[in-house]
Amino acid sequence: MEEERKPLENRNFIDAFIEEDLAPGGRFEGKRVHTRFPPEPNGYLHIGHCKALTIDFGTAEKFGGLCNLRMDDTNPTKEDTEYVDAIQADIHWLGFDWGDRFFYGSDYFEKDYEFAVELIKKGLAYVCDLTAEQFKECRGDIGKPAVSPYRDRPVEENLDLFERMKNGEFPEGSRTLRAKIDLASGNFNMRDPVIYRIRYMHHHRQGDKWCIYPMYDFAHPIQDALEGITHSLCSLEFEAHRPLYDWFIQALGIWPSHQYEFARLNLTYTMMSKRKLLKLVQEGAVMGWDDPRMPTICGFRRRGYSPESIHKFIDKIGYTTYDALNEFALLESAVREDLNDRATRVSAVLNPVKLIITNYPEGQVEEMEAVNNPEHPEEGNHVIEFSRELWMERDDFMEDAPKKYFRMTPGQEVRLKNAYIVKCTGCKKNDAGEITEVYCEYDPDTKSGLPGANRKVKGTIHWVSCAHCLEAEVRLYDRLWKVENPRDELAAIREAKNCDALTAMKEMINPDSLNVLPCCYIEKYAAGMQPLSYLQFQRIGYFNVDKDSTPEKMVFNRTVGLKDVWGKINK
């Protein structure tokens, strides 16, 4: 007997539908849940895909089922093996696996052709000679049926013409194969849709074997049926295509997969058009698909997002059947929550000025204890060296400070994190009036861990020892776009200025989206950290080690600040 299924916790509406399907009398009673994720290999996966692949793989996992990975390479003009490899790597990074169930839509071209012939033989498909322009003219309107003078061609003539289309006897665009459904349907997708078109294009897997290619609406239900997919989970724009999906299943008598739709992920300050993102890459407006400002999964990975942070975000927004524009700040808050738990704390100075402790013995070095992660004491401590000359943040000093300034200023005490309480005694300036050195005196009885350290001091600042730190490059990344809805703004700029997409996009790019600081200092404990290590630069933000980092010159990327600066700006 099948083990009784326990009720799911935190179910969404799709879970509820699937439970109905699996229940006694349901359409898939006694069957194993089987889903698929079908990305087009025409670009890198982005944050929008995360929602789809999470629901595809995650739903199968939740119900103890299977999920296939299928490359939708039915369109020969867009595919690239680089993208295929990148898609697989991104899905694995997110923690999902398809086992031995990796397919290409083009694997089924022979079956697609056979099913098309079957439709013709049943009188449910015909070859149409309307050109693309004529097709638009004859499509009709609401209350006005579409027309095709070729709809009543005899079956034998259609079979002959379709075979000759396959054999390359006709020019590209001169003929199509259309399903014979309902030219007066209120759903325009059902008005005898094109299911095959002639394209003389080289296919990345099939080579030049085919010059006719199936449309996705036709190939989709066939691919699902051949793989035994129970639940075909699609984004909301496919809702109007579901009657066509069901029509092909019924007309061909194939495995009855069922399509459900959910709202796609929309995010403020984010552009998700792969065509637009490709243009940014090709024109050098960004450093590549994995530029940390890009919304691609590989871009987020390089920036320092963890897989868990993305899953946390997807869980926060949930699954619905209505479109919503989600706040980018919500994604960043999920990242902060996750990194607060996993990031190793280190000290780094990004805008350095020298701090000299005038009463500290010259040549003396002390090893101070620094906690690796206060959220996980079991991760232990590490040593940070303390000496007479330190680097501190320039912004942590003010020569003439207001009353509520609690950092370094003449006559005021401040705590050096993990070390001593010091009192500022002054500073030194160059001829241009710039501060080059800050001076202070320390109290030897206030070392961290000693009773004297309990003295109340309102300000704490971080530091690194000048003689015991590493020089590093720090890249401060921020949002790529300076407008909340770049998709709509792009259209408005193009219309107003009659310009191309790239020109409009360049106008929207945030000039502060990347700020490179070439001369920063970080404690030497970070020396052995590998690319993608998760760090918190104390008092500054979350960072990670970039792939450009070398032992000679470490490079760090800012993942996200400790606080939501954009939220304050936009209030």
Side-chain angles (χ1 to χ4, degrees), residues 357-366 387-388 442:
I357 308 170
T358 55
N359 66 332
Y360 193 84
E362 291 193 38
Q364 180 171 307
V365 177
E366 289 184 81
S387 63
R388 187 173 187 267
Y442 87 118

Side-chain angles (χ1 to χ4, degrees), residues 36-43 45 68-80 83-84 87 102-109 112 197 203-205 213-221 223-224 227 238 274:
R36 86 290 174 270
F37 178 59
E40 283 188 84
N42 62 349
L45 296 183
N68 297 356
L69 175 58
R70 181 201 308 149
M71 297 294 163
D72 172 25
D73 61 346
T74 54
N75 189 340
T77 64
K78 297 179 179 179
E79 287 70 41
D80 193 309
Y83 300 139
V84 172
I87 288 169
F102 176 66
F103 305 105
Y104 287 88
S106 59
D107 291 341
Y108 308 113
F109 278 177
D112 292 335
R197 77 281 200 209
H203 191 279
H204 79 116
R205 296 191 76 247
Y213 291 95
M215 302 299 288
Y216 184 70
D217 276 343
F218 177 62
H220 178 197
Q223 293 165 1
D224 285 349
E227 293 176 15
F238 286 96
K274 285 192 279 187

Side-chain angles (χ1 to χ4, degrees), residues 13-14 36-40 46-53 55-56 72 189 216-217 220 224 231-243 245 258-266 272 319-324:
F13 76 97
I14 288 179
R36 86 290 174 270
F37 178 59
E40 283 188 84
H46 54 60
I47 187 66
H49 294 107
C50 288
K51 184 175 183 180
L53 69 88
I55 201 166
D56 288 326
D72 172 25
N189 295 303
Y216 184 70
D217 276 343
H220 178 197
D224 285 349
H231 298 87
S232 186
L233 308 177
C234 304
S235 47
L236 207 55
E237 64 264 32
F238 286 96
E239 184 177 25
H241 297 250
R242 195 199 316 159
Y245 181 94
H258 192 74
Q259 177 178 306
Y260 289 108
E261 304 86 19
F262 57 91
R264 69 194 306 173
L265 172 59
N266 298 303
M272 295 198 211
Y319 295 95
T320 65
T321 54
Y322 58 87
D323 278 322

Side-chain angles (χ1 to χ4, degrees), residues 450-507:
L450 295 179
N454 296 328
R455 191 161 79 225
K456 286 189 177 180
V457 175
K458 290 187 177 180
T460 300
I461 66 172
H462 63 280
W463 51 271
V464 294
S465 170
C466 294
H468 306 89
C469 63
L470 305 170
E471 188 173 304
E473 177 180 297
V474 174
R475 299 170 182 174
L476 301 179
Y477 289 102
D478 210 328
R479 301 177 188 182
L480 180 60
W481 309 105
K482 61 184 179 182
V483 295
E484 185 177 64
N485 192 334
R487 184 187 64 181
D488 291 355
E489 186 71 16
L490 175 71
I493 292 173
R494 292 193 67 183
E495 182 177 354
K497 299 190 174 181
N498 192 27
C499 61
D500 60 28
L502 181 64
T503 301
M505 284 192 289
K506 285 182 175 178
E507 189 170 317

Side-chain angles (χ1 to χ4, degrees), residues 301-306 339 342-344 346 525-537 542-547 554-557 559:
R301 178 167 63 243
R302 185 176 178 185
R303 185 158 173 170
Y305 286 28
S306 70
L339 293 180
R342 75 175 62 248
T344 301
V346 295
Y525 175 68
M529 293 183 175
Q530 298 301 307
L532 305 184
S533 296
Y534 303 111
L535 304 172
Q536 185 195 101
F537 288 3
Y542 294 100
F543 292 75
N544 84 317
V545 183
D546 188 72
K547 67 178 186 179
M554 297 198 74
V555 179
F556 298 90
N557 300 324
T559 307

